Structures are given as C-alpha cells and as structure tokens.
Amino acid sequence: MKIRNITLVGAIVGLFIAAPVQAEQQQMKPISKAELWATTCFQCHGAEGQSAGGAIPPLAGYPADIMAQQLKAIKAGTRPSTIMKRHLMGYSDADIDAIATYLGSLKP
Amino acid sequence: MSKFNRRSLIKGLAASGIAFPVMSALQGCSAQPSKNTKPHVVVIGGGFGGATVAKYIKRFDRNIDVTLIEPKTEYMTCPGSNWYLAGLIDVKSLTHNYEALKTKHNVKVIHQIATDINAAAKSVTLDNGEVLNYDRLVVSPGIDFIYDQIEGYSEEVAEIFPHAWQAGPQTHLLAKQIQEMPQGGKFLMVAPPNPYRCAPGPYERISMVAAYFKEHNPTATIMILDPKKKFSKQALFYQGWQDLYGQMIEWYGAQDGATVTKIDVESKTAYSDFDEITADVINIIPAQKAGKIAFKAGLTNETGWCPVDQDTFESTIQKDVYVVGDSSIAGAMPKSGHSASSQGKMCAAAVVSSLNNLPMPETRNVNTCYSLISKDWGISIVGVYENRENRISGIKGAGGVSPMGMTQQERKMEADYARGWYKSITMDVWGS
Ligand SMILES: Cc1cc2nc3c(=O)[nH]c(=O)nc-3n(C[C@H](O)[C@H](O)[C@H](O)COP(=O)(O)OP(=O)(O)OC[C@H]3O[C@@H](n4cnc5c(N)ncnc54)[C@H](O)[C@@H]3O)c2cc1C
C-alpha cells in the first residue's frame, strides 16, 4: 500500500517534472548568428560591450540605428577609422544591422 | 502545466516526507545517463582559448557544468610581454587569475595538469590521480617546442638562451639579460620557422628591445637570423626601424642563408650558411608544435598540430573532443590570442548547441594582432574569416595591414588602441 503510493507519486511527479524540464530545454533558443558574431567585438570593445578602461569606446547601450549608420559609414570610408573598416569589409550590411541590433540591446 | 514551478513542487513534496522518490523521478526522466543531471564539459588549459570557452559556455547556457583544468593560479600573457621588455609596463598588468571565472561565471577551476585523456571512456586524468568524466572535452594547451632542429640546442640550453615564447620565468630571464648586456654589445634573435604563435611577435620584440637599447645602451646592435624569406608586416616594421632606430637593427632571411643549424653555448655562437655570429645575448625562438597533451591524446596529425572541424572545432580524430587555439589547425587563421579567443567563442556555441540538440549558428572568426614599434607607434593586421569549402578562409576585401605612411597621430592612435585591445581582451577572457 505504502509502496504503491510512492510509486504513484513518483510517476505523477515524473510527469510534472519531466514537462518543465523539457520545456526549459526547449526554451533555450538556438544561439543567433548576430549574438555569436557580436561577442567577437568584445575582444576590443570590452566584455558585454562594457568599458574595460582603454581607448576603444564601449558599445553597450549604443542606439542600434545610430551604430548601424556609423558602421556603414566607416565601411564606405566616409567616416575615418584606423582599423574598423578592415573589420567591417568582412560583414554584409544586413549582418551589420543584425549585430548592431544585438549590441543595442545590451545594458550600458 | 506551465504554471508549475519545479522548485516549489519539490519543496512541497520534501515537506511531506517523500523527497527521495522525487529525486529518482528527476533522474529517471533526465536525458543524461550520468549521475549528474547536468551535462559536464571539461576544458583543459586556462589560456586565451580555454578560458574563453569555459566562460562562454556558461554565458550561452548556465545549465551546463564546466570544469577548467589549469596548473597555474596566475596566468601571465605573452601579449604585452614585449612591452615589458622595453620597460613600458610592469608584470602585474600582464598577470590574470581565475577568481572571476569561479565566482562570477560559476566555472569550477582545478589547478592541476591533465596527464591523460581516455576518449573511449570520456574521461580525463589529473596529476593528483583524480579522474573526471565528461560529456564534451575542450583542449587548448597552447604550444610545445621542437628542440632538435638546431644542433647543440635543447630544453636546458633554453635556460641560457631563453625563448620567452611562453610568458613567465623565461620572460624575466630575457629581460634581465637585456638589462645586463654590456654597453655596445650585440643582441641576436634566432627567429622561428612557420607556423608558430604570433606571426609579428618576434619583430615586435626586436622593436621593443631596440626601444630599450636606444634609451639605455645606444651603441648596442641587434641582428635577426631568420629561416623565413619574409615576415608579417615587414614593410611597416622596416619603416619604423629605419625612422626610430637607424642602423641598430639588421635582418637576414632564408635568401641570405640565415637559417641557423647549430649553436655553441660556450662561445655564444650561432652557425648558418650566412655567417658565424657571436653575440652577448641570444634569444632563440625554436620551431613549435601542439601542446604535449594533444600528442598524448592522439589529437595531432603528421603536421604536429590538431585537425579540427572548421566550424565547431571538434577534433576530426576523436569524437566529442574539441581543440581550439594555437594547437588547432584553423585554416588561414594565424596562431594568436585574438584568434584563440574568437575560436573559443565559436567552439562554446558549438558545444552548447550540440548538448541542447540545437542547430549551430554560422561561424565568423576574426583575428587582430597589434604590434608596438615604439611606445607611440602602433601597427596592426586584421583578418575576418568564413568557412569556405571546409577551410577557415579570409574573406576577400576584408582585413589587411595598417597603411604605409600613417601620420604620427594615427600611429599614436594605433598604439593607444593596442593598449585598449589588451585591456578589453583580458577583461573578456579572465575578467568580469
Ligand atoms: C611574445 C609574444 C607576443 C604575443 N603577442 C600577441 C598579441 O599581441 N596578440 C595576440 O593575439 N597574440 C599574441 N601572442 C600569441 C598568444 O600568446 C597565443 O597565441 C595564445 O596564448 C594562444 O592561446 P592558447 O589558449 O592556444 O594557449 P595559451 O594561452 O598558451 O594557454 C594554454 C594553457 O594551457 C595550459 N596547459 C597546457 N597543458 C596543460 C595540461 N596538460 N593540463 C592543464 N593545462 C595545460 C597552460 O598552462 C596554459 O595556461 C603573443 C605570443 C608571444 C610569444
């Protein structure tokens, strides 16, 4: 009697537990290309876009549309840069928009 | 059902005295067969590659347990170590620890050497005998040296003619020799053959040694004997050397017969077809290969480096084992800290995606190597890489070196950005 109860509880709990565990796993969305690519910007601009105290400006909290505009101007050569143009030539304008949108979502 | 809170359900059941079956129910429905319900990733090596992987796996998915194996409690970076030789910075600013990885990112750090990998049993053995099981293993052990390409050279001789190509005691030894060199003495560098870590590193070092001599030993001379025909950012280095250091530096390459084949410790002489050169300080940077553990675990091929999938960095030899950083064969990417960290992020995304049965995002690796020619003169090289036909390849039109003929202000900006890069990347890898 006692044993049956425990098994029953176990089975019910199993049902309830299994669902949220699975739900949690399903909640993890694929890592987006924009996020993954943006993490490489941190190597110069500071982790999570936060200032590391050096000369390269931090990126977090930058409005996405302004950032995208600036990046496209740098890529086109109408905004001067020492190194950013050489990086940006490796990204399409659509990539730049997606990365800027991701970085714009980070808290300053 | 979605309103059910897992924790309060367990708490409620525990209060009614039936916690035990709950636990077994939890384990019974877990996808992982191990005792641990969370997947476990072991990372070997806490340098630029390994520390990045450990941190970024937790960043992408904090439900994965990550254990980092690194013998050192303090890691001194090679980047910046040349600046230290010139007296521009101190050792403290080059040294990083693992506290933030432990406390902020919940990475378990074990300060041991991994002595063996059993890929069939999916386990790693440590120096202290401990055996760790893994679901995925990432290996980033950096480099090891090939001592037998130069007659008379050995691991012991490297304690007399330091390479300083792994930062630490070797760096201090070389700094001391430079400082104690007699006035008007000769500094000789025996440069390494390709491929080696940090393509412009030897030539940045020459610049920094020259900067030191210019101030403290102005009649000193510097010679480089190089088994290569050319080197990274050569035109930019030449311009800087000529402008700043006049006749102090002489470079000879393979075309001059400058491949050193023999060394004599007693007389401090390097032999090559070019000439017999005697010097006061000799900095031999030997040929390189993947870190020891990569060989022990059978992760290397005939090149002495580790072949990997060009997106995920999974070994093409051992399943569920990944190799990043200097030890890996990463297509056209040079071996650098910037590359290792970029690869570490791609690899972290690959490991997290695979453990969650999710698709892997498209990869885009980047490299940047800043070099200082003097305190106020910086230059850089950039590459942006995609996987093209199964090889990490530079994107055409992107990347390249700083232009010749930069203004003094631009050179100064690049020098300041080089220092900014150092702060940012070390913060990204070991810091907050
Ligand atoms: C003088 C010099 C200047 C440089 N300058 C730059 C620069 O300006 N920019 C740049 O991007 N790169 C630079 N580099 C290159 C950079 O240092 C390397 O490319 C980078 O460190 C590679 O990272 P990694 O993770 O592969 O190896 P490492 O950073 O060497 O890390 C490997 C780690 O693994 C640990 N390890 C090894 N074996 C084991 C084991 N069996 N068990 C546990 N732990 C183990 C080691 O203790 C070490 O901490 C420079 C290099 C030199 C020599």
Short mmCIF file of all heavy atoms in Angstrom, two decimals, chain A residues 6 9 13 16-17 24 28-29 31 33 35-37 39-40 42-44 46-48 52-53 56 82-83 86-87 89-91 102, chain B residues 4 13 18 21 26 56 59 338 342 345 352 358 361-362 364 366 368 370 380 382 395 397-402 417 424-425 427:
data_model
loop_
_atom_site.label_atom_id
_atom_site.label_comp_id
_atom_site.label_asym_id
_atom_site.label_seq_id
_atom_site.Cartn_x
_atom_site.Cartn_y
_atom_site.Cartn_z
N ILE A 6 3.96 5.48 -3.14
CA ILE A 6 5.19 6.18 -3.51
C ILE A 6 5.43 6.08 -5.01
O ILE A 6 5.73 7.04 -5.68
CB ILE A 6 6.40 5.61 -2.71
CG1 ILE A 6 6.28 6.07 -1.26
CG2 ILE A 6 7.72 6.11 -3.30
CD1 ILE A 6 7.29 5.45 -0.33
N VAL A 9 3.14 8.42 -6.64
CA VAL A 9 3.60 9.81 -6.50
C VAL A 9 4.78 10.05 -7.45
O VAL A 9 4.82 11.03 -8.17
CB VAL A 9 4.01 10.12 -5.05
CG1 VAL A 9 4.76 11.46 -4.97
CG2 VAL A 9 2.79 10.17 -4.15
N VAL A 13 4.83 12.76 -10.20
CA VAL A 13 5.89 13.77 -10.13
C VAL A 13 6.71 13.73 -11.41
O VAL A 13 7.01 14.74 -12.00
CB VAL A 13 6.78 13.56 -8.88
CG1 VAL A 13 8.07 14.36 -9.00
CG2 VAL A 13 6.01 13.98 -7.64
N PHE A 16 5.00 15.62 -14.01
CA PHE A 16 5.05 17.08 -13.82
C PHE A 16 6.46 17.62 -14.02
O PHE A 16 6.65 18.67 -14.59
CB PHE A 16 4.56 17.45 -12.41
CG PHE A 16 3.06 17.46 -12.32
CD1 PHE A 16 2.40 16.69 -11.39
CD2 PHE A 16 2.32 18.24 -13.20
CE1 PHE A 16 1.02 16.70 -11.31
CE2 PHE A 16 0.94 18.25 -13.13
CZ PHE A 16 0.27 17.46 -12.18
N ILE A 17 7.42 16.85 -13.49
CA ILE A 17 8.81 17.32 -13.56
C ILE A 17 9.31 17.27 -14.99
O ILE A 17 9.92 18.19 -15.47
CB ILE A 17 9.74 16.46 -12.66
CG1 ILE A 17 9.24 16.48 -11.24
CG2 ILE A 17 11.19 16.91 -12.80
CD1 ILE A 17 9.92 17.41 -10.31
N GLU A 24 11.98 23.72 -20.36
CA GLU A 24 13.14 24.58 -20.15
C GLU A 24 14.15 24.38 -21.27
O GLU A 24 14.72 25.32 -21.79
CB GLU A 24 13.79 24.21 -18.82
CG GLU A 24 14.27 25.41 -18.04
CD GLU A 24 14.74 24.99 -16.68
OE1 GLU A 24 15.77 24.30 -16.62
OE2 GLU A 24 14.06 25.33 -15.69
N MET A 28 15.46 27.16 -24.51
CA MET A 28 16.76 27.62 -24.98
C MET A 28 16.70 27.68 -26.50
O MET A 28 16.58 26.68 -27.18
CB MET A 28 17.86 26.67 -24.51
CG MET A 28 19.14 26.84 -25.29
SD MET A 28 20.58 27.12 -24.31
CE MET A 28 21.68 27.72 -25.59
N LYS A 29 16.72 28.90 -27.00
CA LYS A 29 16.64 29.09 -28.46
C LYS A 29 18.03 28.86 -29.06
O LYS A 29 19.03 28.98 -28.37
CB LYS A 29 16.19 30.51 -28.75
CG LYS A 29 14.77 30.81 -28.35
CD LYS A 29 14.30 32.09 -29.07
CE LYS A 29 13.13 32.75 -28.40
NZ LYS A 29 13.48 33.53 -27.20
N ILE A 31 21.42 29.71 -30.60
CA ILE A 31 22.23 30.92 -30.46
C ILE A 31 22.20 31.62 -31.82
O ILE A 31 22.44 30.99 -32.85
CB ILE A 31 23.68 30.55 -30.07
CG1 ILE A 31 23.70 29.84 -28.72
CG2 ILE A 31 24.57 31.80 -30.03
CD1 ILE A 31 25.01 29.11 -28.42
N LYS A 33 23.24 33.98 -34.94
CA LYS A 33 24.45 34.38 -35.63
C LYS A 33 24.87 35.78 -35.17
O LYS A 33 26.05 36.04 -34.91
CB LYS A 33 24.10 34.33 -37.12
CG LYS A 33 25.11 34.79 -38.07
CD LYS A 33 24.61 34.50 -39.49
CE LYS A 33 24.41 35.81 -40.25
NZ LYS A 33 24.11 35.61 -41.68
N GLU A 35 24.32 37.32 -32.32
CA GLU A 35 24.90 37.32 -30.97
C GLU A 35 26.30 36.73 -31.01
O GLU A 35 27.24 37.30 -30.44
CB GLU A 35 24.02 36.51 -30.01
CG GLU A 35 24.65 36.40 -28.62
CD GLU A 35 23.80 35.65 -27.61
OE1 GLU A 35 22.69 35.21 -27.96
OE2 GLU A 35 24.25 35.49 -26.46
N LEU A 36 26.45 35.59 -31.69
CA LEU A 36 27.76 34.94 -31.72
C LEU A 36 28.81 35.86 -32.35
O LEU A 36 29.91 36.03 -31.80
CB LEU A 36 27.67 33.62 -32.49
CG LEU A 36 28.97 32.81 -32.58
CD1 LEU A 36 29.51 32.46 -31.20
CD2 LEU A 36 28.76 31.53 -33.39
N TRP A 37 28.46 36.47 -33.44
CA TRP A 37 29.42 37.34 -34.12
C TRP A 37 29.71 38.57 -33.28
O TRP A 37 30.86 39.05 -33.26
CB TRP A 37 28.90 37.74 -35.51
CG TRP A 37 28.77 36.58 -36.45
CD1 TRP A 37 28.85 35.24 -36.13
CD2 TRP A 37 28.53 36.62 -37.86
NE1 TRP A 37 28.67 34.47 -37.26
CE2 TRP A 37 28.48 35.28 -38.33
CE3 TRP A 37 28.35 37.65 -38.78
CZ2 TRP A 37 28.25 34.97 -39.68
CZ3 TRP A 37 28.13 37.35 -40.12
CH2 TRP A 37 28.08 36.01 -40.56
N THR A 39 29.87 38.78 -30.12
CA THR A 39 30.76 38.51 -28.99
C THR A 39 32.23 38.71 -29.37
O THR A 39 33.05 38.98 -28.50
CB THR A 39 30.59 37.07 -28.42
OG1 THR A 39 30.92 36.12 -29.43
CG2 THR A 39 29.19 36.84 -27.89
N THR A 40 32.55 38.61 -30.66
CA THR A 40 33.95 38.84 -31.04
C THR A 40 34.31 40.33 -31.01
O THR A 40 35.48 40.67 -30.94
CB THR A 40 34.30 38.24 -32.43
OG1 THR A 40 33.56 38.94 -33.44
CG2 THR A 40 33.99 36.76 -32.49
N PHE A 42 33.64 42.15 -28.54
CA PHE A 42 34.01 42.41 -27.13
C PHE A 42 35.51 42.37 -26.92
O PHE A 42 36.03 42.94 -25.97
CB PHE A 42 33.37 41.38 -26.18
CG PHE A 42 31.86 41.34 -26.21
CD1 PHE A 42 31.19 40.23 -25.68
CD2 PHE A 42 31.12 42.38 -26.73
CE1 PHE A 42 29.80 40.17 -25.68
CE2 PHE A 42 29.72 42.33 -26.74
CZ PHE A 42 29.07 41.21 -26.22
N GLN A 43 36.22 41.63 -27.78
CA GLN A 43 37.67 41.47 -27.60
C GLN A 43 38.40 42.82 -27.70
O GLN A 43 39.48 42.96 -27.16
CB GLN A 43 38.21 40.44 -28.61
CG GLN A 43 37.67 39.05 -28.30
CD GLN A 43 37.96 37.98 -29.33
OE1 GLN A 43 37.19 37.05 -29.46
NE2 GLN A 43 39.06 38.09 -30.06
N CYS A 44 37.79 43.76 -28.40
CA CYS A 44 38.37 45.11 -28.48
C CYS A 44 37.55 46.13 -27.71
O CYS A 44 38.10 47.11 -27.19
CB CYS A 44 38.45 45.56 -29.93
SG CYS A 44 39.77 44.74 -30.84
N GLY A 46 35.42 45.59 -25.09
CA GLY A 46 35.09 45.27 -23.70
C GLY A 46 33.98 44.23 -23.60
O GLY A 46 33.05 44.23 -24.41
N ALA A 47 34.09 43.35 -22.60
CA ALA A 47 33.14 42.26 -22.40
C ALA A 47 31.73 42.82 -22.27
O ALA A 47 31.51 43.80 -21.56
CB ALA A 47 33.51 41.45 -21.17
N GLU A 48 30.79 42.21 -22.96
CA GLU A 48 29.37 42.64 -22.97
C GLU A 48 29.25 44.11 -23.38
O GLU A 48 28.28 44.78 -23.01
CB GLU A 48 28.69 42.39 -21.61
CG GLU A 48 28.82 40.95 -21.09
CD GLU A 48 28.24 39.92 -22.05
OE1 GLU A 48 27.20 40.16 -22.66
OE2 GLU A 48 28.90 38.84 -22.21
N ALA A 52 36.41 48.62 -20.72
CA ALA A 52 37.50 47.97 -19.97
C ALA A 52 38.51 49.02 -19.53
O ALA A 52 39.57 48.69 -19.02
CB ALA A 52 38.16 46.91 -20.83
N GLY A 53 38.19 50.28 -19.77
CA GLY A 53 39.07 51.36 -19.31
C GLY A 53 40.11 51.80 -20.32
O GLY A 53 40.92 52.66 -20.05
N ILE A 56 39.49 52.26 -26.63
CA ILE A 56 38.47 51.85 -27.60
C ILE A 56 37.08 52.03 -26.96
O ILE A 56 36.84 51.55 -25.85
CB ILE A 56 38.70 50.40 -28.07
CG1 ILE A 56 40.13 50.24 -28.62
CG2 ILE A 56 37.67 50.01 -29.12
CD1 ILE A 56 40.53 48.84 -29.02
N THR A 82 40.92 53.78 -38.02
CA THR A 82 42.23 53.16 -38.18
C THR A 82 42.08 51.67 -38.51
O THR A 82 42.83 51.13 -39.31
CB THR A 82 43.08 53.27 -36.89
OG1 THR A 82 42.35 52.69 -35.80
CG2 THR A 82 43.42 54.72 -36.57
N ILE A 83 41.09 51.00 -37.88
CA ILE A 83 41.03 49.54 -38.02
C ILE A 83 39.64 49.01 -38.34
O ILE A 83 39.49 47.94 -38.91
CB ILE A 83 41.57 48.87 -36.73
CG1 ILE A 83 42.10 47.47 -37.04
CG2 ILE A 83 40.53 48.82 -35.63
CD1 ILE A 83 42.93 46.86 -35.92
N ARG A 86 38.70 47.75 -41.92
CA ARG A 86 39.26 46.45 -42.29
C ARG A 86 38.43 45.30 -41.72
O ARG A 86 38.37 44.21 -42.27
CB ARG A 86 40.73 46.35 -41.83
CG ARG A 86 41.68 47.19 -42.69
CD ARG A 86 43.12 47.08 -42.20
NE ARG A 86 43.46 48.07 -41.19
CZ ARG A 86 44.38 47.90 -40.24
NH1 ARG A 86 45.02 46.76 -40.16
NH2 ARG A 86 44.64 48.86 -39.38
N HIS A 87 37.81 45.54 -40.55
CA HIS A 87 36.91 44.53 -39.99
C HIS A 87 35.59 44.50 -40.74
O HIS A 87 35.09 43.45 -41.12
CB HIS A 87 36.63 44.84 -38.51
CG HIS A 87 37.72 44.36 -37.60
ND1 HIS A 87 37.79 43.08 -37.14
CD2 HIS A 87 38.80 44.99 -37.10
CE1 HIS A 87 38.86 42.94 -36.38
NE2 HIS A 87 39.50 44.10 -36.34
N MET A 89 34.62 45.27 -43.65
CA MET A 89 34.58 44.74 -45.01
C MET A 89 34.25 43.24 -45.00
O MET A 89 33.92 42.68 -46.03
CB MET A 89 35.91 44.98 -45.73
CG MET A 89 36.25 46.44 -46.00
SD MET A 89 35.02 47.32 -46.97
CE MET A 89 35.38 46.65 -48.60
N GLY A 90 34.32 42.62 -43.84
CA GLY A 90 34.00 41.19 -43.72
C GLY A 90 32.53 40.93 -43.38
O GLY A 90 32.17 39.79 -43.10
N TYR A 91 31.71 41.99 -43.35
CA TYR A 91 30.30 41.83 -42.98
C TYR A 91 29.40 42.52 -43.99
O TYR A 91 29.69 43.63 -44.44
CB TYR A 91 30.05 42.44 -41.59
CG TYR A 91 30.92 41.82 -40.50
CD1 TYR A 91 32.20 42.31 -40.25
CD2 TYR A 91 30.46 40.75 -39.75
CE1 TYR A 91 33.01 41.74 -39.26
CE2 TYR A 91 31.27 40.17 -38.77
CZ TYR A 91 32.54 40.68 -38.53
OH TYR A 91 33.32 40.12 -37.56
N TYR A 102 21.66 43.57 -31.95
CA TYR A 102 22.01 42.78 -30.76
C TYR A 102 22.78 43.63 -29.75
O TYR A 102 22.43 43.67 -28.56
CB TYR A 102 22.83 41.54 -31.12
CG TYR A 102 23.23 40.80 -29.87
CD1 TYR A 102 22.30 40.01 -29.20
CD2 TYR A 102 24.48 40.98 -29.29
CE1 TYR A 102 22.62 39.40 -28.01
CE2 TYR A 102 24.81 40.37 -28.09
CZ TYR A 102 23.88 39.58 -27.46
OH TYR A 102 24.19 39.00 -26.25
N PHE B 4 3.35 25.29 -13.29
CA PHE B 4 4.01 24.55 -12.23
C PHE B 4 5.45 25.01 -12.05
O PHE B 4 6.23 25.04 -13.00
CB PHE B 4 4.02 23.04 -12.56
CG PHE B 4 3.06 22.30 -11.69
CD1 PHE B 4 1.83 21.93 -12.20
CD2 PHE B 4 3.37 22.00 -10.38
CE1 PHE B 4 0.93 21.26 -11.40
CE2 PHE B 4 2.47 21.33 -9.58
CZ PHE B 4 1.25 20.96 -10.08
N LEU B 13 6.82 18.55 -1.79
CA LEU B 13 6.90 17.11 -1.64
C LEU B 13 7.91 16.74 -0.56
O LEU B 13 7.71 15.80 0.20
CB LEU B 13 7.28 16.45 -2.97
CG LEU B 13 6.16 16.47 -4.00
CD1 LEU B 13 6.71 16.18 -5.39
CD2 LEU B 13 5.08 15.45 -3.65
N ILE B 18 8.52 12.83 1.21
CA ILE B 18 8.76 11.90 0.10
C ILE B 18 9.75 12.48 -0.91
O ILE B 18 9.58 12.39 -2.11
CB ILE B 18 7.44 11.50 -0.60
CG1 ILE B 18 6.58 12.76 -0.84
CG2 ILE B 18 6.69 10.46 0.19
CD1 ILE B 18 5.37 12.49 -1.69
N PRO B 21 11.79 9.64 -3.59
CA PRO B 21 11.30 9.25 -4.91
C PRO B 21 11.27 10.42 -5.90
O PRO B 21 11.41 10.21 -7.09
CB PRO B 21 9.88 8.75 -4.64
CG PRO B 21 9.62 8.94 -3.20
CD PRO B 21 10.86 9.32 -2.51
N LEU B 26 13.29 12.50 -10.90
CA LEU B 26 14.02 13.54 -11.63
C LEU B 26 15.10 12.93 -12.50
O LEU B 26 15.27 13.28 -13.66
CB LEU B 26 14.68 14.48 -10.63
CG LEU B 26 14.16 15.89 -10.54
CD1 LEU B 26 14.84 16.63 -9.40
CD2 LEU B 26 14.28 16.64 -11.84
N TYR B 56 32.37 31.28 -21.96
CA TYR B 56 31.27 31.45 -22.92
C TYR B 56 30.30 30.28 -22.94
O TYR B 56 29.14 30.46 -23.27
CB TYR B 56 31.82 31.81 -24.31
CG TYR B 56 32.02 33.31 -24.41
CD1 TYR B 56 33.15 33.92 -23.86
CD2 TYR B 56 31.04 34.13 -24.96
CE1 TYR B 56 33.31 35.30 -23.89
CE2 TYR B 56 31.19 35.52 -25.00
CZ TYR B 56 32.32 36.09 -24.46
OH TYR B 56 32.46 37.46 -24.49
N ARG B 59 28.09 31.39 -20.38
CA ARG B 59 27.33 32.57 -20.83
C ARG B 59 26.16 32.15 -21.71
O ARG B 59 25.06 32.69 -21.60
CB ARG B 59 28.26 33.50 -21.62
CG ARG B 59 27.58 34.77 -22.11
CD ARG B 59 28.49 35.54 -23.06
NE ARG B 59 27.91 36.80 -23.49
CZ ARG B 59 27.02 36.93 -24.48
NH1 ARG B 59 26.60 35.85 -25.14
NH2 ARG B 59 26.55 38.13 -24.80
N HIS B 338 44.10 36.56 -30.01
CA HIS B 338 42.82 37.04 -30.57
C HIS B 338 42.11 35.91 -31.31
O HIS B 338 40.91 35.69 -31.13
CB HIS B 338 43.07 38.23 -31.50
CG HIS B 338 41.86 39.11 -31.68
ND1 HIS B 338 41.61 40.21 -30.90
CD2 HIS B 338 40.83 39.02 -32.54
CE1 HIS B 338 40.47 40.78 -31.29
NE2 HIS B 338 39.98 40.07 -32.28
N SER B 342 38.54 34.07 -30.32
CA SER B 342 37.46 34.00 -31.32
C SER B 342 37.04 32.54 -31.52
O SER B 342 35.85 32.21 -31.48
CB SER B 342 37.95 34.62 -32.64
OG SER B 342 37.04 34.39 -33.68
N LYS B 345 34.95 31.15 -28.74
CA LYS B 345 33.53 31.52 -28.76
C LYS B 345 32.75 30.65 -29.74
O LYS B 345 31.64 30.20 -29.44
CB LYS B 345 33.41 33.00 -29.10
CG LYS B 345 33.87 33.87 -27.95
CD LYS B 345 34.05 35.32 -28.31
CE LYS B 345 34.65 36.05 -27.08
NZ LYS B 345 34.92 37.47 -27.33
N VAL B 352 27.52 24.08 -26.81
CA VAL B 352 26.20 24.36 -26.24
C VAL B 352 25.10 23.91 -27.20
O VAL B 352 24.12 23.28 -26.79
CB VAL B 352 26.07 25.88 -25.92
CG1 VAL B 352 24.63 26.25 -25.62
CG2 VAL B 352 26.97 26.24 -24.75
N LEU B 358 20.50 21.69 -30.66
CA LEU B 358 20.10 22.87 -31.42
C LEU B 358 21.03 23.04 -32.61
O LEU B 358 22.17 22.59 -32.58
CB LEU B 358 20.19 24.12 -30.53
CG LEU B 358 19.16 24.24 -29.41
CD1 LEU B 358 19.54 25.35 -28.46
CD2 LEU B 358 17.77 24.45 -29.99
N PRO B 361 24.96 28.01 -35.05
CA PRO B 361 24.94 29.20 -35.91
C PRO B 361 26.14 29.22 -36.85
O PRO B 361 27.17 28.61 -36.56
CB PRO B 361 24.99 30.36 -34.93
CG PRO B 361 25.53 29.80 -33.66
CD PRO B 361 25.18 28.33 -33.64
N GLU B 362 25.98 29.93 -37.96
CA GLU B 362 27.10 30.12 -38.89
C GLU B 362 28.25 30.79 -38.14
O GLU B 362 28.03 31.61 -37.26
CB GLU B 362 26.62 31.02 -40.04
CG GLU B 362 27.62 31.20 -41.15
CD GLU B 362 27.10 32.21 -42.20
OE1 GLU B 362 25.87 32.40 -42.32
OE2 GLU B 362 27.95 32.82 -42.87
N ARG B 364 31.89 33.03 -37.79
CA ARG B 364 32.71 34.08 -38.40
C ARG B 364 33.84 34.38 -37.43
O ARG B 364 33.61 34.96 -36.36
CB ARG B 364 31.87 35.33 -38.67
CG ARG B 364 32.71 36.44 -39.29
CD ARG B 364 32.13 37.03 -40.56
NE ARG B 364 31.66 36.02 -41.49
CZ ARG B 364 30.98 36.29 -42.61
NH1 ARG B 364 30.69 37.54 -42.91
NH2 ARG B 364 30.58 35.34 -43.40
N VAL B 366 37.54 36.05 -36.26
CA VAL B 366 38.33 37.26 -36.52
C VAL B 366 39.70 37.14 -35.87
O VAL B 366 39.86 36.47 -34.86
CB VAL B 366 37.66 38.53 -35.95
CG1 VAL B 366 36.41 38.87 -36.73
CG2 VAL B 366 37.33 38.39 -34.48
N THR B 368 43.09 39.87 -34.89
CA THR B 368 43.78 41.15 -34.94
C THR B 368 45.08 40.98 -34.18
O THR B 368 45.07 40.42 -33.08
CB THR B 368 42.98 42.26 -34.24
OG1 THR B 368 41.68 42.31 -34.82
CG2 THR B 368 43.66 43.61 -34.38
N TYR B 370 47.91 43.58 -32.95
CA TYR B 370 48.55 44.88 -32.83
C TYR B 370 50.01 44.64 -32.48
O TYR B 370 50.34 43.70 -31.75
CB TYR B 370 47.92 45.68 -31.69
CG TYR B 370 46.65 46.40 -32.03
CD1 TYR B 370 45.42 45.98 -31.53
CD2 TYR B 370 46.67 47.54 -32.83
CE1 TYR B 370 44.24 46.66 -31.82
CE2 TYR B 370 45.49 48.23 -33.12
CZ TYR B 370 44.29 47.79 -32.62
OH TYR B 370 43.14 48.47 -32.91
N SER B 380 48.94 47.35 -37.08
CA SER B 380 48.03 46.22 -36.85
C SER B 380 47.82 45.41 -38.12
O SER B 380 48.04 45.89 -39.23
CB SER B 380 46.68 46.73 -36.36
OG SER B 380 46.12 47.63 -37.29
N VAL B 382 44.72 42.58 -39.59
CA VAL B 382 43.37 42.08 -39.33
C VAL B 382 43.02 40.99 -40.34
O VAL B 382 43.43 41.05 -41.49
CB VAL B 382 42.34 43.24 -39.48
CG1 VAL B 382 40.90 42.71 -39.44
CG2 VAL B 382 42.55 44.31 -38.43
N ILE B 395 38.03 36.41 -45.69
CA ILE B 395 37.03 36.99 -46.58
C ILE B 395 37.72 38.01 -47.47
O ILE B 395 38.42 38.91 -46.97
CB ILE B 395 35.89 37.62 -45.76
CG1 ILE B 395 35.14 36.52 -45.02
CG2 ILE B 395 34.95 38.44 -46.65
CD1 ILE B 395 34.06 37.03 -44.10
N GLY B 397 38.69 41.10 -49.55
CA GLY B 397 38.32 42.51 -49.41
C GLY B 397 38.36 42.98 -47.97
O GLY B 397 38.43 44.17 -47.69
N ALA B 398 38.29 42.02 -47.03
CA ALA B 398 38.35 42.39 -45.61
C ALA B 398 39.78 42.19 -45.09
O ALA B 398 40.60 41.53 -45.72
CB ALA B 398 37.38 41.55 -44.80
N GLY B 399 40.05 42.77 -43.93
CA GLY B 399 41.34 42.56 -43.28
C GLY B 399 42.47 43.32 -43.93
O GLY B 399 42.25 44.26 -44.70
N GLY B 400 43.69 42.92 -43.60
CA GLY B 400 44.88 43.58 -44.14
C GLY B 400 45.63 44.33 -43.06
O GLY B 400 45.26 44.32 -41.88
N VAL B 401 46.72 44.97 -43.49
CA VAL B 401 47.61 45.64 -42.53
C VAL B 401 47.37 47.15 -42.55
O VAL B 401 46.77 47.68 -43.49
CB VAL B 401 49.10 45.35 -42.83
CG1 VAL B 401 49.39 43.87 -42.72
CG2 VAL B 401 49.50 45.86 -44.20
N SER B 402 47.87 47.83 -41.51
CA SER B 402 47.80 49.29 -41.46
C SER B 402 48.47 49.84 -42.71
O SER B 402 49.44 49.26 -43.20
CB SER B 402 48.56 49.83 -40.25
OG SER B 402 48.17 49.16 -39.08
N TYR B 417 45.23 52.21 -29.10
CA TYR B 417 44.23 51.15 -29.31
C TYR B 417 44.83 49.77 -29.00
O TYR B 417 44.12 48.88 -28.55
CB TYR B 417 43.69 51.17 -30.74
CG TYR B 417 42.82 52.38 -31.05
CD1 TYR B 417 42.83 52.99 -32.30
CD2 TYR B 417 41.96 52.91 -30.07
CE1 TYR B 417 42.03 54.08 -32.59
CE2 TYR B 417 41.17 54.02 -30.35
CZ TYR B 417 41.20 54.60 -31.61
OH TYR B 417 40.42 55.68 -31.89
N SER B 424 40.77 45.17 -23.05
CA SER B 424 39.46 44.58 -23.37
C SER B 424 39.53 43.06 -23.47
O SER B 424 38.68 42.36 -22.91
CB SER B 424 38.93 45.15 -24.69
OG SER B 424 38.61 46.51 -24.53
N ILE B 425 40.52 42.54 -24.17
CA ILE B 425 40.52 41.09 -24.39
C ILE B 425 40.80 40.36 -23.06
O ILE B 425 40.20 39.31 -22.80
CB ILE B 425 41.49 40.65 -25.52
CG1 ILE B 425 41.19 39.19 -25.90
CG2 ILE B 425 42.95 40.82 -25.15
CD1 ILE B 425 41.81 38.73 -27.20
N MET B 427 39.98 41.42 -20.14
CA MET B 427 38.73 41.54 -19.37
C MET B 427 37.71 40.51 -19.88
O MET B 427 37.03 39.85 -19.12
CB MET B 427 38.17 42.95 -19.53
CG MET B 427 36.76 43.15 -18.99
SD MET B 427 36.00 44.59 -19.83
CE MET B 427 34.53 44.82 -18.84
#
